[in-house]
Amino acid sequence: MRKIVHRHLGKVVAGAAVAVAGTAVMIGITLPGTAGADDTGGGKAAAGQSAAQAGQGADGAVAPGVVEQAPAAEGEKGKGRDPLTDDEIQRVEKIAVNPQLLNASEDVEGDRGPERLTVDLADPKVGELDDPDAPRRADVTFYDYRDDTLVTRTVDLDTGKVVATGTQHGVQPPLSSAEYAKAASLLIADPLGADLKADYKDATDKELTDPNQLLLTGAVYRAVPGGQPAVLDKCGEHRCVRLFPKVKNGPWIDARAFVIDLSARKVAKLES
């Protein structure tokens, strides 16, 4: 990767390697906690050697092994303010999407049913703050691409019933992994994605054809008066995203100049 950087840029800028291909900028960054993540040699061997030495006494004899008790399996139901269990999450997801919501909504792919975003333990009501036996409830949030609506349904975990439903427009919570993948797919397929694909080619010598070739994060984009082309004026009402793609085991690619409107399925470049 360093050779690619030097060929494009000719020097290292501010300690980071930057490669330019078209208008997208490829940035080599070592993130906290990722250094040495791909190492397969000395680190593991040294760790194993230290562990072996720790089990020996001063005379070289191996100390008796200690068998730790296995952690208790997570139950189907939590208690009080315990985090939701996997079983509870799966259950409330099914309860929250009744046939009416399923048939009247669309996900990010345009398929039947809303796009699931989050499942969280609901806050207790005011009168339940000191009650250890207060009902456990879960808030399930969805995004309905049919009419750009955020839907929140509250499920009572004891009764298995939806006890509240709320809808909001113009509210844009963080995106799901499926939404990031769809945004990348739209950008790759659009003529404006040519620079992204060129940078990927420089980094890997391979063609970028699928979002699964990238590690994807991003941020919701809201329209700023005079700060974008007219095609993005509805961002905020529409679900729009700026992607921060990363080559797997490779550099970041700066795609911040591009905004993908997931509601309209359009890609635009921000005006400089």
Side-chain angles (χ1 to χ4, degrees), residues 86-263:
D86 290 342
D87 288 340
E88 286 177 323
I89 291 173
Q90 294 175 6
R91 180 170 173 245
V92 298
E93 285 178 341
K94 293 178 181 178
I95 294 171
V97 185
N98 59 11
Q100 181 180 358
L101 178 60
L102 179 67
N103 293 321
S105 59
E106 292 182 3
D107 65 12
V108 69
E109 293 287 351
D111 296 330
R112 187 179 68 159
E115 184 69 30
R116 198 214 82 178
L117 300 181
T118 60
V119 181
D120 298 303
L121 187 67
D123 292 331
K125 296 180 179 180
V126 175
E128 300 171 345
L129 293 174
D130 297 323
D131 183 359
D133 298 319
R136 278 169 62 83
R137 307 180 188 89
D139 288 333
V140 189
T141 60
F142 304 94
Y143 197 84
D144 181 2
Y145 277 88
R146 181 182 59 84
D147 58 2
D148 284 296
T149 302
L150 180 68
V151 180
T152 303
R153 311 202 85 182
T154 302
V155 177
D156 187 309
L157 290 163
D158 293 326
T159 65
K161 295 181 179 180
V162 176
V163 295
T165 298
T167 58
Q168 297 171 284
H169 292 275
V171 178
Q172 299 293 343
L175 296 107
S176 68
S177 57
E179 289 174 309
Y180 286 135
K182 182 61 176 180
S185 178
L186 290 170
L187 180 57
I188 291 169
D190 194 274
L192 288 174
D195 295 319
L196 171 68
K197 291 187 284 189
D199 284 346
Y200 186 88
K201 176 79 171 179
D202 281 344
T204 65
D205 290 327
K206 297 179 181 178
E207 300 295 332
L208 176 60
T209 59
D210 190 279
N212 290 324
Q213 294 171 259
L214 299 167
L215 297 177
L216 297 167
T217 56
V220 169
Y221 176 82
R222 292 180 175 275
V224 178
Q228 67 279 318
V231 70
L232 298 176
D233 283 347
K234 287 192 174 181
C235 287
E237 176 186 343
H238 283 186
R239 194 118 165 103
C240 300
V241 59
R242 296 172 78 178
L243 287 175
F244 309 141
K246 183 182 184 298
V247 177
K248 290 184 177 180
N249 298 317
W252 296 85
I253 299 176
D254 187 355
R256 291 171 295 176
F258 306 104
V259 175
I260 301 95
D261 184 334
L262 290 170
S263 300

Side-chain angles (χ1 to χ4, degrees), residues 3-29:
K3 291 182 180 178
I4 294 174
V5 168
H6 285 187
R7 185 172 68 245
H8 283 290
L9 189 64
K11 62 179 179 179
V12 176
V13 180
V18 180
V20 177
T23 57
V25 181
M26 187 159 50
I27 306 174
I29 301 173

